[in-house]
Amino acid sequence: MSSLSDHLLRTLAAVPPGSRLLDLECGSGAVASALATLGFDLHATASETNVAVRAQRAVTEAQPGMADRVITAAPRALGYPDAFFDWVVALGSYDEIEAERLDDALGETRRVLKPGGWVFLAVRDGADVSPEWLTYRMQRAAFAVAEPPERDEGDHGPVVRGIYRKVERDVIG
């Protein structure tokens, strides 16, 4: 496991079981499976159907009967009700989104979070990405810094990760 995955699991260890979590762009389902096993009310998405099917298998293997909790949905159009989740885990979820569409995806993440909800996210570290850039983008979407972003090692290379909280727009300034 990467230090990013370790940090995520340590963070979520303090979250009450039964909290509703979304693993956004869940990939193979490895993180989603671990979160389901920990007793969270887990939902997961993948933009591509074949990826969602693989994740469904992984989640069902970890927690039988949860295949319907993994759906095909893009980060910009999740299809969940407003204020549905306590936490969104977004590891690499925004990496492939063009800058002009990133605000839409972050707005959709904000929409599905409950007031005061949390986002644990990591984006691929690169020329345009820095801890300052991540905070700027998140604050534009009306999230407050809960844990300042840092560079870390993800499963597929360096990332910038942080934890943000959904707040009222006038709190950001």
Side-chain angles (χ1 to χ4, degrees), residues 28-43:
S28 68
V31 171
S33 297
L35 297 175
T37 301
L38 291 172
F40 293 112
D41 180 5
L42 178 80
H43 296 257

Side-chain angles (χ1 to χ4, degrees), residues 44-168:
T45 65
S47 292
E48 299 175 18
T49 302
N50 61 328
V51 176
V53 168
R54 282 195 312 269
Q56 285 172 340
R57 285 189 207 116
V59 169
T60 301
E61 197 172 294
Q63 287 294 320
M66 292 191 72
D68 64 335
R69 297 293 188 95
V70 181
I71 65 167
T72 303
R76 292 181 20 221
L78 295 172
Y80 294 102
D82 293 354
F84 193 67
F85 294 103
D86 300 298
W87 278 83
V88 171
V89 174
L91 305 180
S93 306
Y94 308 116
D95 286 352
E96 303 302 322
I97 297 175
E98 306 89 31
E100 64 272 5
R101 301 213 170 162
L102 181 58
D103 288 338
D104 294 339
L106 292 173
E108 182 69 350
T109 298
R110 179 180 167 66
R111 183 188 69 74
V112 300
L113 272 172
K114 293 177 181 177
W118 305 85
V119 179
F120 184 107
L121 79 154
V123 293
R124 190 175 320 130
D125 196 355
D128 296 338
V129 176
S130 67
E132 297 77 20
W133 175 89
L134 183 57
T135 293
Y136 169 75
R137 296 310 292 240
M138 294 302 287
Q139 287 178 336
R140 275 178 46 136
F143 289 96
V145 175
E147 179 181 285
E150 296 181 0
R151 287 187 160 86
D152 202 346
E153 193 59 39
D155 292 331
H156 303 288
V159 297
V160 176
R161 65 147 166 89
I163 301 175
Y164 296 85
R165 191 158 195 197
K166 178 181 175 178
V167 295
E168 294 304 316

